[in-house]
Amino acid sequence: FLLPFSVSSNPLVAEISSHDITIHTSFSGTELILFGVRDAPGDIVVVVRGPERLATIRKKERVFGIWVNRQSEQFEHVPAFYAMASSRDYESIPKSIYFDALGYGEAIHPFRLSREDFLSEDERAQREVFARALLREFRTKRLYQKEVHPITFVGGGLFRTTIPFPDTTPTGVYTAEVYLFSYGEVASVYTTSIHVYKSGFDAFIYQLAHHSPRLYGVTAILLAVFGGWVAIRLFRKT
């Protein structure tokens, strides 16, 4: 009831080509097409976020010639995946406070600090260094896409964009958010979910490792012993 009438009139309708991504042994990444209709003027911004997780980043230091983990920082509610698309150059889109609240763009730090007000200047600086290192790690794995993908119009108000998912895509429930902004204000919004899951033998190993770690460890040891025994038998015969 608090939304303006322009939002409830639904000037934006969108859909995605698939709500499921299946990861199997030969999975090399995929692309999903997001498309829709804009029935009012404004800028369209799409944000796809992965499931939020607790992320830990560690700094290695050389001690007596050996690289070991020394300092570490943890960041809560970190999206495992982040991608954006916009109907025009993102920097030229009028922005209001909604952009900060919704967590858009490079200016929004993806790793919010818990109880930041109680940190000293040195602690904040250290957290910032670790946050940037964590961001580089996500970008190396192509999970945080710095490029803002273009949204193209196919006559009238029809639009479409493509969101790539790399082979390093983690499992979980993702959220695709489509916003129509008019002079920086929210005119309409559409949200849908994307499910990423493993299948086949990969799924069996994943479930075993996460839900029965002891059985997984024992199985791994037995397989290693069996593999060693087979190798010894083969070398003896040769």
Side-chain angles (χ1 to χ4, degrees):
F1 294 103
L2 298 178
L3 294 176
F5 177 78
S6 59
V7 175
S8 61
S9 61
N10 198 23
L12 174 70
V13 178
E15 190 51 83
I16 198 165
S17 57
S18 176
H19 293 273
D20 298 287
I21 297 178
T22 304
I23 298 178
H24 43 76
T25 305
S26 58
F27 180 75
S28 58
T30 187
E31 293 182 343
L32 295 185
I33 300 174
L34 192 147
F35 54 92
V37 179
R38 180 188 65 179
D39 195 25
D43 300 300
I44 298 176
V45 176
V46 173
V47 176
V48 179
R49 313 174 200 259
E52 293 186 349
R53 296 175 179 174
L54 175 67
T56 302
I57 185 73
R58 296 179 175 86
K59 181 179 180 181
K60 288 187 177 181
E61 295 181 4
R62 198 167 185 175
V63 179
F64 300 110
I66 301 175
W67 290 97
V68 295
N69 293 324
R70 297 296 296 270
Q71 295 178 310
S72 66
E73 291 285 348
Q74 286 187 334
F75 298 87
E76 299 177 349
H77 309 297
V78 176
F81 179 90
Y82 189 89
M84 282 187 61
S86 63
S87 57
R88 63 168 165 157
D89 181 54
Y90 178 77
E91 298 302 326
S92 64
I93 296 177
K95 300 174 178 62
S96 69
I97 59 173
Y98 289 109
F99 280 75
D100 290 343
L102 296 171
Y104 277 176
E106 194 68 22
I108 302 301
H109 208 297
F111 315 128
R112 290 300 182 189
L113 309 183
S114 59
R115 301 173 63 183
E116 182 177 331
D117 295 337
F118 298 95
L119 298 177
S120 65
E121 290 296 328
D122 292 339
E123 290 173 331
R124 288 188 185 184
Q126 176 176 307
R127 293 274 288 182
E128 183 67 24
V129 170
F130 277 84
R132 294 186 181 278
L134 183 59
L135 182 59
R136 287 195 301 269
E137 178 71 14
F138 276 111
R139 285 182 175 162
T140 300
K141 296 179 179 179
R142 296 166 294 159
L143 297 176
Y144 274 39
Q145 302 170 17
K146 187 175 182 179
E147 174 192 2
V148 179
H149 304 287
I151 296 176
T152 57
F153 287 91
V154 191
L158 298 174
F159 65 87
R160 58 168 287 172
T161 187
T162 302
I163 303 296
F165 291 81
D167 54 359
T168 54
T169 301
T171 58
V173 180
Y174 291 58
T175 302
E177 306 162 9
V178 187
Y179 293 90
L180 176 62
F181 286 96
S182 179
Y183 300 101
E185 305 297 326
V186 178
S188 185
V189 58
Y190 166 83
T191 304
T192 188
S193 60
I194 304 169
H195 298 265
V196 181
Y197 56 90
K198 294 180 179 291
S199 65
F201 186 71
D202 287 354
F204 171 75
I205 295 297
Y206 181 85
Q207 294 293 332
L208 186 64
H210 285 78
H211 298 287
S212 303
R214 293 182 180 179
L215 179 59
Y216 173 79
V218 172
T219 303
I221 294 173
L222 292 177
L223 288 175
V225 171
F226 178 74
W229 177 80
V230 171
I232 292 174
R233 298 285 295 181
L234 290 176
F235 278 112
R236 282 182 178 177
K237 290 184 178 180
T238 57

